[in-house]
Amino acid sequence: MVILDNFPIWAVYVGLVIIMLAVAEAGFRIGIQLQDRSGNQGESKMTSAVVGGMLGLMAFLMAFTIGIVISQHGERRGMVVEEANAIGTAWLRAGFLEEPDQAAARALLQEYTEIRVAAANDISQYTATVTRSEEIHNELWAIMEENVDRGNDTDIMGLVIESVNDVIDIHAMRLFVANLRLPRILGILLFLATMLSFMLVGVASSVDRKRDTVAMILFALIFVGVMIVIIDLDRPQEGLLRVNQTAMSDLLRQITPTGQ
């Protein structure tokens, strides 16, 4: 559903409701035409069992899809906490370095946290943040290499290097998790199946040749509402259901010197 990322979530909701109502109306008219052709007024081959079976299949498909996007959303949330812990550990262990390396490393880790929190709140900064993050990785690693070259290869230095390496590794893992999306084929299948369900409901409702407009609108609002939850959860850091960044924000507060 990447193509839907170009539109705000409210516009997607309104658009899908309109589309589904239009499809239901098309199904209603098709049902009337089928009755007129068969000559059997008030009868339809589209039995409630067929419609019920299709809606049951849709419920299963939606439950399966929601399970996938919730799992991906949970992984993103977990990676935020894991990254905050890794950065915090690296910041503490940087205290074992001698000046000016200690101040330089901690300043870089503070900037690293700041830009990642900012990118989480503004997706437009994503590309610039990734680039700067990798630059900070290189600068931190250069400090580690300089210390080793000067003969500082103690066990404590090994712990500092390990913590910096963890920050770099988790960066790659977080990028991977952030780019996890609902498989395209599943999104297309969900959309087409929903349209078919509304068409069948429209055909079935044409038996008495009277539109139940209120019921159809309520059905569309609720049905599409569930789809919007799936679409919203599938967006990495947009929409209403965003990944909580409290762990990173708390870390930034802790490592920012008083007065800054």
Side-chain angles (χ1 to χ4, degrees):
M1 297 186 181
V2 177
I3 190 173
L4 298 179
D5 291 352
N6 299 319
F7 306 96
I9 199 70
W10 65 266
V12 176
Y13 180 72
V14 173
L16 287 178
V17 168
I18 293 173
I19 290 173
M20 296 310 159
L21 288 176
V23 171
E25 175 64 18
F28 180 85
R29 297 188 180 188
I30 291 173
I32 291 179
Q33 290 180 2
L34 292 176
Q35 291 183 51
D36 292 341
R37 289 180 181 179
S38 64
N40 297 322
Q41 301 296 325
E43 296 183 7
S44 174
K45 295 182 180 180
M46 191 60 61
T47 64
S48 58
V50 175
V51 177
M54 187 63 195
L55 293 178
L57 178 61
M58 275 302 307
F60 171 78
L61 182 59
M62 280 190 164
F64 178 72
T65 306
I66 287 177
I68 292 177
V69 293
I70 286 179
S71 176
Q72 293 175 347
H73 186 75
E75 288 185 50
R76 296 186 188 109
R77 292 178 59 186
M79 287 305 304
V80 172
V81 177
E82 190 171 346
E83 182 171 52
N85 290 335
I87 296 172
T89 299
W91 190 87
L92 290 173
R93 292 181 180 178
F96 293 126
L97 299 173
E98 296 180 355
E99 294 291 0
D101 291 341
Q102 178 185 136
R106 284 186 163 178
L108 287 170
L109 289 169
Q110 180 186 339
E111 180 190 355
Y112 188 77
T113 308
E114 288 175 348
I115 63 175
R116 295 176 87 78
V117 171
N121 295 324
D122 183 3
I123 196 65
S124 64
Q125 299 183 33
Y126 177 82
T127 302
T129 296
V130 171
T131 301
R132 179 54 186 155
S133 294
E134 292 172 353
E135 291 174 353
I136 292 176
H137 293 163
N138 294 332
E139 292 175 31
L140 285 170
W141 199 253
I143 293 175
M144 302 301 107
E145 290 179 339
E146 289 175 5
N147 275 266
V148 174
D149 289 342
R150 292 198 301 264
N152 185 5
D153 55 358
T154 63
D155 291 340
I156 292 179
M157 187 63 201
L159 292 175
V160 178
I161 294 174
E162 180 185 5
S163 62
V164 171
N165 188 67
D166 288 342
V167 171
I168 297 173
D169 289 345
I170 290 176
H171 165 76
M173 294 171 60
R174 192 173 178 188
L175 286 182
F176 173 77
V177 172
N179 290 319
L180 284 176
R181 303 300 300 270
L182 187 69
R184 180 179 299 179
I185 185 64
L186 186 56
I188 295 174
L189 178 62
L190 178 64
F191 183 74
L192 293 179
T194 301
M195 291 184 64
L196 178 59
S197 296
F198 272 85
M199 180 172 288
L200 294 180
V201 169
V203 173
S205 65
S206 67
V207 174
D208 59 2
R209 307 178 76 88
K210 295 180 181 179
R211 295 179 179 85
D212 193 346
T213 306
V214 175
M216 189 59 66
I217 290 176
L218 291 176
F219 181 59
L221 291 174
I222 295 172
F223 211 96
V224 174
V226 177
M227 289 187 66
I228 286 298
V229 171
I230 295 174
I231 295 170
D232 201 7
L233 285 172
D234 189 47
R235 296 185 176 190
Q237 197 59 34
E238 297 180 81
L240 303 176
L241 303 174
R242 298 190 176 191
V243 176
N244 194 308
Q245 300 292 322
T246 301
M248 290 290 284
S249 298
D250 288 345
L251 171 65
L252 181 59
R253 175 180 53 79
Q254 294 169 14
I255 66 177
T256 301
T258 304
Q260 283 194 9

